[in-house]
Amino acid sequence: MGILQNLLFTICIALRCVTSAVGVIHVTGYVGREVNVSCSYDEGYESYEKYLCKNDCGDSDVLVTTSESRKNKYRIHDDKTARIFTTTISDLHSEDAGKYWCGVTRNGKDIYTEVELKLAQDSCCDTVTKIESYEGFSESIVCPYESRYQNNPKYICRGNRPSTCRQQALITSDNKQNGRFRLDDDKLLGTFTVNISSLTKNDSGSYLCGVQRNSDLDVFSAVELKVKEWCCVKSIKIKGTVGQPLSLQCPYPPQHQDKGKFLCKGEQLNSCKDITNQSRFQLEGNGSFSSFSVVITKLEEADAGTYWCGSDSARRPGNYTKIQLSVDARHYVVYTVPPLLLLLMCVFAVIVHKCKHQKVKEDEVVMNKNAQNEDALEEVTDAAKNNIHGNQEVVMCKEETSRQQR
């Protein structure tokens, strides 16, 4: 019976009586990864069994069915609402490439849809574009593509695995700005450019430029980015005081004697702002071929920050000095008083002075009165004392007279 079914199936295949109207479904995947094979079916077959098979779809060729949804490295799911069943094949090997059939079981002849699976290595690419840049700089990665992909989505990711690149994209053409990354698509030139700002050494590594294709594998180009440190940067710390002058010393190699000198302010050398055109900053030579100085005539609190000086105004990698300037304002704090407030303060001072003067006068009057009272009290006391002595003499006289009479 099985031989007869296989014979009928082979005949039916030859007569193309078993393929659905959608034609051949082309599916691509990567070796070592997994791939999804999705097949649609007509209304009314929701409750029917579905399966995926290879070769002639004999009993031994059926890989997985909806009645046994997991088998080896195959699993199947039937979305009856969308009328699509999807088979996932994991751990792909090169021998998995080839022809498959999506089948719907029914009485009589089953319904089949042909599937063609292609596999590629999960790596990229034969040609790699190498880019070198420096910390703190911005760098642009230019990704070319064919004119037929003008309207296809573009993206970039880290690493060199095409199979996961789109899911791990740093930025896409649908979302042109993402933090330090910006994507611009020039459809006339056939290139999209990804700009990375404020580079760090962690940005070094492999990148893939991707162009999405719906019916086939995405198209990729590879880039290797190397971010280097600035050469020979010397860092020093200087402290100054508000209102006082300060001199910044900037050494340079002897071979840079005739090159332009500069002093700029900013956290990054490539984006710092030149300040030697300000009147308070005076660039002076030291009478030698090894350094120059910049004198700040009168420090301000806003002068604190990071400075860069060197002997190459183009600011290419080379010998530079990084200066961390801190400004002390504790002993030179000046407060500005509005004129009206100053007037009120003067009026208040005059009133306080008058009050104090009046208080002094009143205190003097009280003190004079107290002095007069003390003098009067002293006179009364003396009189009382004299009266007491007089009385004592009278008593003594009477006692003497009485004694003589006895």
Side-chain angles (χ1 to χ4, degrees):
M1 182 65 180
I3 297 175
L4 179 60
Q5 287 180 342
N6 290 340
L7 178 61
L8 291 175
F9 177 79
T10 303
I11 295 174
C12 205
I13 290 289
L15 296 176
R16 296 187 180 275
C17 62
V18 298
T19 58
S20 68
V22 297
V24 179
I25 299 175
H26 295 276
V27 180
T28 55
Y30 293 98
V31 173
R33 310 299 293 177
E34 66 178 29
V35 71
N36 292 323
V37 179
S38 296
C39 302
S40 61
Y41 54 86
D42 294 334
E43 185 177 1
Y45 293 99
E46 289 85 353
S47 60
Y48 287 61
E49 184 182 56
K50 288 87 177 176
Y51 57 89
L52 183 73
C53 61
K54 287 192 72 174
N55 302 323
D56 295 332
C57 281
D59 292 340
S60 61
D61 296 325
V62 176
L63 303 172
V64 67
T65 67
T66 52
S67 58
E68 186 181 358
S69 60
R70 286 181 177 269
K71 186 178 181 180
N72 300 325
K73 63 178 185 177
Y74 304 93
R75 63 181 186 272
I76 192 170
H77 171 71
D78 185 11
D79 186 343
K80 296 180 180 180
T81 302
R83 297 198 302 275
I84 295 175
F85 67 95
T86 301
T87 304
T88 301
I89 309 174
S90 60
D91 190 23
L92 290 169
H93 292 79
S94 56
E95 56 267 24
D96 292 323
K99 185 181 294 186
Y100 291 78
W101 299 92
C102 289
V104 177
T105 303
R106 64 175 182 174
N107 295 329
K109 295 178 294 185
D110 292 353
I111 301 174
Y112 293 92
T113 302
E114 184 179 349
V115 177
E116 186 69 30
L117 174 61
K118 295 181 180 180
L119 296 180
Q121 295 298 320
D122 192 12
S123 61
C124 181
C125 299
D126 295 335
T127 302
V128 179
T129 302
K130 296 184 180 295
I131 300 175
E132 288 189 354
S133 190
Y134 295 89
E135 286 184 308
F137 274 51
S138 297
E139 190 60 55
S140 295
I141 299 175
V142 180
C143 307
Y145 59 85
E146 297 180 21
S147 58
R148 55 179 171 163
Y149 299 132
Q150 282 185 350
N151 299 321
N152 291 48
K154 287 89 177 177
Y155 57 93
I156 192 171
C157 69
R158 295 202 64 167
N160 58 359
R161 301 192 68 173
S163 61
T164 59
C165 187
R166 194 192 311 173
Q167 292 79 10
Q168 299 175 0
L170 299 170
I171 190 171
T172 69
S173 53
D174 296 330
N175 181 22
K176 295 184 177 182
Q177 185 76 43
N178 183 17
R180 297 183 299 118
F181 297 84
R182 178 177 177 80
L183 189 152
D184 295 296
D185 187 7
D186 190 333
K187 296 181 179 180
L188 295 178
L189 292 179
T191 61
F192 69 92
T193 303
V194 177
N195 183 269
I196 310 175
S197 61
S198 302
L199 286 171
T200 68
K201 291 193 71 176
N202 291 333
D203 293 320
S204 298
S206 300
Y207 292 80
L208 288 180
C209 301
V211 178
Q212 182 177 339
R213 296 193 296 181
N214 296 326
S215 60
D216 206 342
L217 293 176
D218 293 354
V219 181
F220 295 98
S221 58
V223 174
E224 188 72 24
L225 174 62
K226 183 177 181 181
V227 180
K228 300 191 295 186
E229 291 180 334
W230 280 93
C231 171
C232 313
V233 174
K234 179 182 178 182
S235 182
I236 59 176
K237 294 183 179 180
I238 298 179
K239 188 174 183 180
T241 305
V242 167
Q244 301 297 309
L246 182 68
S247 179
L248 306 178
Q249 299 297 322
C250 302
Y252 63 88
Q255 64 269 26
H256 287 188
Q257 177 185 355
D258 297 327
K259 289 192 175 183
K261 315 300 188 295
F262 73 91
L263 175 74
C264 62
K265 184 179 182 182
E267 292 301 320
Q268 300 294 338
L269 176 59
N270 67 308
S271 59
C272 62
K273 182 180 179 181
D274 186 12
I275 58 174
T276 54
N277 55 356
Q278 298 183 20
S279 59
R280 293 188 303 110
F281 293 80
Q282 301 174 2
L283 193 149
E284 300 177 353
N286 288 339
S288 68
F289 299 140
S290 60
S291 67
F292 67 94
S293 62
V294 177
V295 178
I296 308 176
T297 57
K298 190 176 181 180
L299 271 179
E300 298 177 358
E301 285 189 72
D303 293 331
T306 303
Y307 293 80
W308 301 82
C309 61
S311 53
D312 185 0
S313 56
R315 303 179 190 178
R316 292 178 290 248
N319 296 298
Y320 297 95
T321 300
K322 180 181 180 181
I323 302 172
Q324 297 284 354
L325 174 60
S326 59
V327 179
D328 187 0
R330 289 177 297 176
H331 303 300
Y332 292 89
V333 179
V334 179
Y335 297 97
T336 303
V337 181
L340 180 59
L341 180 58
L342 182 60
L343 178 60
L344 292 175
M345 291 172 65
C346 293
V347 172
F348 180 74
V350 171
I351 293 174
V352 171
H353 176 72
K354 288 185 176 181
C355 290
K356 287 185 176 180
H357 184 68
Q358 182 66 29
K359 180 65 175 177
V360 169
K361 285 187 175 182
E362 292 177 354
D363 291 343
E364 289 178 353
V365 171
V366 171
M367 290 175 63
N368 291 335
K369 289 183 177 180
N370 290 339
Q372 292 175 1
N373 292 336
E374 289 177 358
D375 292 341
L377 180 60
E378 189 175 343
E379 291 179 358
V380 172
T381 303
D382 292 341
K385 288 181 180 180
N386 294 331
N387 190 27
I388 290 173
H389 288 302
N391 291 336
Q392 287 179 346
E393 291 176 354
V394 171
V395 171
M396 291 176 61
C397 182
K398 286 183 177 181
E399 289 179 351
E400 181 64 25
T401 303
S402 176
R403 184 169 52 82
Q404 290 178 358
Q405 287 177 354
R406 287 195 302 268

